Amino acid sequence: MSTPSGFDELIHPSTRLSVVALLAATEWADFPFLRDSLSLSDSALSKQLHTLEEAGYLEIQKEGGGRKRRTKVRLTARGRTAFEGHVAALRAIVEGAGPAPAQPTAQPSAQQHAEAGR
């Protein structure tokens, strides 16, 4: 089976997929919200965000300074398109791996039931 079109190796690892899925549901997300929602350490989340930002999938904005510094993250149009394509590719893989459709079984008619009872 070949890999479906749209499958994205960069997004596929579970942590990055979780980050992108969470961001797909919102316009902007604060760093602490992402960290806490995904149960990641600051450094683990930073690493994933950096990787996705380098690919052009995320935009990161830093506001303020010192202890009041705030980091906000959002998916770019490119990131959203990549995520949607990856989800479609995963669906194609799952649907292609499902059981074969069941063959309809013929149901005996009322007349056949009556004849069988004779």
Side-chain angles (χ1 to χ4, degrees), residues 35-116:
R35 179 196 60 215
D36 296 345
S37 295
L38 301 171
S39 299
L40 295 172
S41 67
D42 287 358
S43 61
L45 178 57
S46 291
K47 181 179 179 183
Q48 300 307 323
L49 295 179
H50 180 71
T51 299
L52 291 164
E53 182 185 33
E54 281 187 330
Y57 290 179
L58 299 183
E59 178 183 345
I60 299 174
Q61 283 187 356
K62 296 182 186 272
E63 301 171 343
R67 295 187 60 91
K68 302 254 184 204
R69 187 170 187 112
R70 183 174 164 196
T71 301
K72 295 186 341 177
V73 183
R74 75 174 181 141
L75 278 180
T76 61
R78 180 178 180 183
R80 194 168 296 279
T81 298
F83 175 67
E84 290 168 358
H86 189 68
V87 169
L90 291 175
R91 283 190 178 119
I93 290 169
V94 170
E95 289 169 3
Q103 296 297 322
T105 56
Q107 295 292 328
S109 67
Q111 182 179 356
Q112 288 171 326
H113 274 295
E115 290 175 357

